Amino acid sequence: MRNVTPDSLTDLLLSLSGPDTDPRVQEVLSALVRHLHDFAKEVGLTHAEWRKGLEMLTRAGEISDSERNEFVLFSDVLGLSSLVDMINSPKGCTNSSVLGPFHILGAPNLPVGGDMIGDNVGPQVVVQGHVRDQSGAPIKGAVIELWQTADNGLYSGQDPSQADYNLRISMTTGADGRYALSTIRPAPYPVPSDGPAGDILKATGRHAWRPSHLHFIVQAPGFRTLVTEVFPSDDPYLDQDAVFGVRSDLVMEYKPGDRAALPADIAARERLADGFSVVDFDFVLPPA
Ligand code: BEZ
Ligand code: FE
């Protein structure tokens, strides 16, 4: 081992794995080590650059806590989260997209047709559609979680001026697979940029903005859980999402709403201000 060279180090390291190493662990770690070593050789990594990288990882650990995970943000802004989503998205169903750091378990239940606007200000919108399987059949008992920003671009949990669970609900579909609710339009917002992930954005002249979106998790027995987002087609950041979450099947038109055409069970039907919009969006779940 004392004659180790840049050309022999990688194979030497990989040869050290014991016979009981799980084959998938060996496959993943071998590829990771090979790419890491090739990367260092390709760019001629200096000591200063290597130290800077380690300092960034150290700072990511220091800035992370139960509410903020800077390592996930690294993965997001470097496109890894979206790449993993895309290579694992089955064909013929709704595409998945990033979960983001602002999901909170335990959102209150809202019946189909319920109102989530409450005291929130902002352009009003009815969001509705169906949860279906790949044959188009409605899925009964699908649980949809929805969370979004208020008009100020902040999520409850992030913003002390909002009540706990503001603009967060859970809704269960009936036999027709339908969901519907009234809410306000979410606002675009920047991902946190005061940590080392933000330093990467600044160092490369990138902005931190995400297009506005509605976050969804859709779960149903016998189906794969879908984590996704729905974006308005007229958002100025649609083609420059800082975390690469936009897919064309997730872009929806916010169409002008017609009160008379609204289903009778929309709780806020009579209270909706003129100028409200309607978003129709169906979820198609792959089998488990
Ligand atoms: C979000 O959509 O909430 C989000 C996603 C990735 C990074 C930061 C925020
Ligand atoms: Fe978000």
Side-chain angles (χ1 to χ4, degrees):
M1 219 186 255
R2 63 184 66 182
N3 289 327
V4 67
T5 67
D7 287 336
S8 67
L9 175 62
T10 308
D11 286 341
L12 173 63
L13 188 156
L14 297 178
S15 73
L16 297 179
S17 302
D20 296 333
T21 309
D22 177 89
R24 179 64 179 162
V25 170
Q26 180 68 13
E27 182 183 4
V28 172
L29 276 183
S30 299
L32 180 65
V33 165
R34 267 191 280 105
H35 286 285
L36 203 55
H37 290 191
D38 284 348
F39 147 75
K41 287 191 273 191
E42 181 185 321
V43 302
L45 197 67
T46 66
H47 276 103
E49 290 160 347
W50 168 75
R51 257 195 316 275
K52 172 91 185 165
L54 295 182
E55 275 163 23
M56 288 177 83
L57 292 174
T58 306
R59 273 210 299 137
E62 288 164 355
I63 208 171
S64 295
D65 57 25
S66 60
E67 268 150 35
R68 174 169 184 173
N69 190 323
E70 193 74 3
F71 295 96
V72 176
L73 201 53
F74 273 144
S75 166
D76 293 340
V77 301
L78 293 176
L80 183 61
S81 309
S82 285
L83 193 56
V84 171
D85 273 343
M86 288 187 281
I87 60 185
N88 286 288
S89 260
K91 302 266 174 284
C93 45
T94 305
N95 271 310
S96 59
S97 184
V98 290
L99 172 67
F102 301 116
H103 175 244
I104 297 176
L105 288 169
N109 192 61
L110 190 72
V112 176
D115 177 51
M116 195 167 78
I117 300 173
D119 296 334
N120 289 280
V121 292
Q124 298 176 337
V125 53
V126 170
V127 184
Q128 59 184 4
H130 293 81
V131 184
R132 302 187 186 282
D133 68 16
Q134 283 177 302
S135 75
I139 301 177
K140 179 185 174 192
V143 177
I144 298 176
E145 281 180 82
L146 164 59
W147 68 104
Q148 64 166 91
T149 59
D151 204 36
N152 63 2
L154 295 171
Y155 290 89
S156 59
Q158 227 193 340
D159 174 9
S161 75
Q162 293 181 50
D164 290 349
Y165 293 111
N166 186 42
L167 298 172
R168 298 172 184 273
I169 57 99
S170 169
M171 182 174 286
T172 304
T173 59
D176 58 0
R178 176 173 169 260
Y179 77 95
L181 71 154
S182 44
T183 182
I184 56 161
R185 244 185 112 121
Y189 63 88
V191 301
S193 60
D194 55 341
D199 291 348
I200 291 178
L201 295 177
K202 284 175 209 127
T204 52
R206 287 171 55 191
H207 68 70
W209 287 85
R210 296 213 66 205
S212 61
H213 50 269
L214 300 164
H215 283 279
F216 291 94
I217 298 178
V218 188
Q219 292 178 277
F223 294 88
R224 198 157 132 178
T225 296
L226 174 68
V227 177
T228 196
E229 309 172 274
V230 174
F231 303 87
S233 54
D234 58 355
D235 193 286
Y237 295 105
L238 200 59
D239 292 313
Q240 24 176 325
D241 182 3
V243 303
F244 313 99
V246 182
R247 315 277 174 269
S248 49
D249 67 322
L250 305 179
V251 177
M252 282 302 116
E253 206 188 325
Y254 278 53
K255 292 173 289 189
D258 171 4
R259 203 182 306 274
L262 283 180
D265 66 355
I266 296 288
R269 197 184 143 101
E270 307 310 330
R271 285 194 292 113
L272 284 169
D274 286 343
F276 74 93
S277 320
V278 173
V279 175
D280 291 299
F281 189 78
D282 281 0
F283 299 97
V284 180
L285 301 189

